[in-house]
Amino acid sequence: MKRKLIQIVATLITNSQLTNFLSGKLYKGSLKNFCSPGLNCYSCPAANFSCPLGAMQTIIASARFSLSYYVTGFLILIGLLIGRGVCGFLCPFGLLQEIFYKLPLPKINLWRPLIYLKYFLLVIFVLMLPAILKLGDPAFCEYICPAGTFEAAIPMLITHQEFRSAIGDLFKLKMIILIATLIGCMINYRFFCKVLCPLGAIYGLTNKFSIYRLHVDENLCINCGRCKKICKMEIDPSKNPNSIECIRCGDCEKICPKKAIRI
Amino acid sequence: MNKIRILIALTAIGFMIYGVNRGELPLIFQKAIRICMECIGLG
């Protein structure tokens, strides 16, 4: 309950310009200089901050720079503090996925090798394509990101009639990716986080050294397997407490009968 | 481990300061206050 409350508050802080959904305008204030820690399209009418992935691609794709020190430093700093706890507590798209997962549909486990796809997307679409093409276009946002389609494209097409005539194959591709992602989220917990999110990929790498982390007391652990069974990110916290997939949700800590797991 | 974390934190803060000083923020801001046609699938 506490985590859900933090998620809702974080989502509202990230997206407080709610009246813009009616007008189709964007917030243009100085907060847009700064990145939100989670994935949140800056073309979402309600967005207060910049998307860190979008900002990174913007800088990489620019004529002046090849790498964003500002965004890289920001991501390292946030990752150092809470690692993928950003995903578990602060990301609006993470909250959306958890809501979709509550729909009463059959649930399946993920084919494990798929978790490495997000690293491919990070390297190719976030880092390499903007740097190679140098067209100023954020390749991940343009071709993949379902958060942008859901949070920005749909509201903007509703309020801006003039955009509808420009709908083409790219929009159709993004809608297919969005629908597939949402279906994935309905049948597998946080499907997008596990498989497609380059931001989760980055934060996952910081899990090994983040301050907010899991501790397993091996003297208390009785290897009952309850933490592994309850983990919806499909990891075994007792064996790999700071897995790059762990979003620090705390379910394992609550279920442990011997209080061997602490966050 | 704590020394490593302090080093990482200082590096991260240094990166951010360097990025701001060399003018990355105006680029991010200009992108963020306009409707990103690529992001909404019309680019």
Side-chain angles (χ1 to χ4, degrees):
Chain A
M1 182 60 187
K2 193 167 109 181
R3 186 172 76 87
K4 196 61 67 192
L5 189 60
I6 294 172
Q7 285 179 285
I8 292 169
V9 169
T11 296
L12 288 173
I13 290 173
T14 310
N15 295 288
S16 70
Q17 310 289 333
L18 296 173
T19 54
N20 283 352
F21 277 121
L22 299 173
S23 63
K25 291 183 184 169
L26 291 186
Y27 167 70
K28 292 178 190 277
S30 55
L31 288 178
K32 281 271 176 90
N33 280 297
F34 307 108
C35 295
S36 60
L39 190 73
N40 198 74
C41 186
Y42 42 37
S43 284
C44 172
N48 286 319
F49 304 97
S50 290
C51 174
L53 281 187
M56 179 172 283
Q57 292 167 85
T58 296
I59 298 297
I60 291 173
S62 71
R64 285 176 65 192
F65 307 116
S66 295
L67 172 69
S68 174
Y69 282 92
Y70 167 68
V71 180
T72 302
F74 173 81
L75 293 176
I76 292 172
L77 191 62
I78 298 294
L80 173 67
L81 292 172
I82 59 172
R84 252 190 121 169
V86 173
C87 308
F89 286 83
L90 304 180
C91 181
F93 203 64
L95 174 62
L96 182 77
Q97 292 174 74
E98 290 186 10
I99 292 169
F100 272 92
Y101 187 70
K102 289 195 183 304
L103 293 171
L105 289 171
K107 310 300 180 193
I108 62 171
N109 283 343
L110 189 72
W111 183 51
R112 206 68 190 149
L114 278 177
I115 65 169
Y116 299 107
L117 178 59
K118 57 183 178 286
Y119 294 97
F120 171 81
L121 295 177
L122 170 64
V123 170
I124 301 299
F125 281 86
V126 176
L127 300 177
M128 286 183 66
L129 278 178
I132 292 168
L133 298 175
K134 282 289 185 191
L135 295 174
D137 294 342
F140 177 78
C141 304
E142 183 170 6
Y143 295 108
I144 310 283
C145 187
T149 311
F150 188 85
E151 297 169 6
I154 292 172
M156 286 300 179
L157 285 169
I158 290 171
T159 51
H160 290 261
Q161 198 175 347
E162 67 276 19
F163 288 167
R164 294 176 207 165
S165 58
I167 289 175
D169 289 340
L170 178 61
F171 181 79
K172 291 172 192 166
L173 169 68
K174 292 200 75 182
M175 279 304 293
I176 290 170
I177 293 172
L178 173 63
I179 291 166
T181 300
L182 293 179
I183 292 171
C185 294
M186 290 176 204
I187 61 176
N188 183 268
Y189 182 76
R190 287 201 176 226
F191 173 78
F192 175 79
C193 296
K194 288 174 182 163
V195 177
L196 296 174
C197 186
L199 193 56
I202 294 170
Y203 284 133
L205 296 174
T206 66
N207 265 2
K208 298 294 180 193
F209 56 81
S210 66
I211 294 167
Y212 188 64
R213 58 196 282 112
L214 260 64
H215 297 272
V216 176
D217 188 335
E218 289 174 7
N219 295 325
L220 294 175
C221 178
I222 57 171
N223 293 308
C224 65
R226 284 183 211 186
C227 55
K228 182 182 176 184
K229 199 171 173 185
I230 203 166
C231 179
K232 295 201 264 304
M233 295 304 284
E234 300 175 56
I235 56 179
D236 185 348
S238 66
K239 304 251 180 331
N240 193 2
N242 291 295
S243 162
I244 56 177
E245 294 298 306
C246 176
I247 62 169
R248 306 334 198 195
C249 69
D251 285 355
C252 54
E253 185 187 35
K254 288 183 206 126
I255 201 81
C256 180
K258 295 295 179 185
K259 305 291 177 216
I261 298 178
R262 287 182 300 111
I263 296 184
Chain B
M1 181 61 132
N2 279 335
K3 284 182 186 167
I4 296 172
R5 287 196 180 112
I6 291 169
L7 187 63
I8 292 170
L10 290 173
T11 304
I13 292 167
F15 274 16
M16 289 176 72
I17 293 171
Y18 179 64
V20 170
N21 271 345
R22 72 176 192 159
E24 290 181 20
L25 287 194
L27 278 176
I28 293 170
F29 183 74
Q30 289 303 320
K31 183 71 178 177
I33 60 169
R34 291 179 176 79
I35 296 173
C36 171
M37 300 304 277
E38 298 86 20
C39 304
I40 65 173
L42 301 180

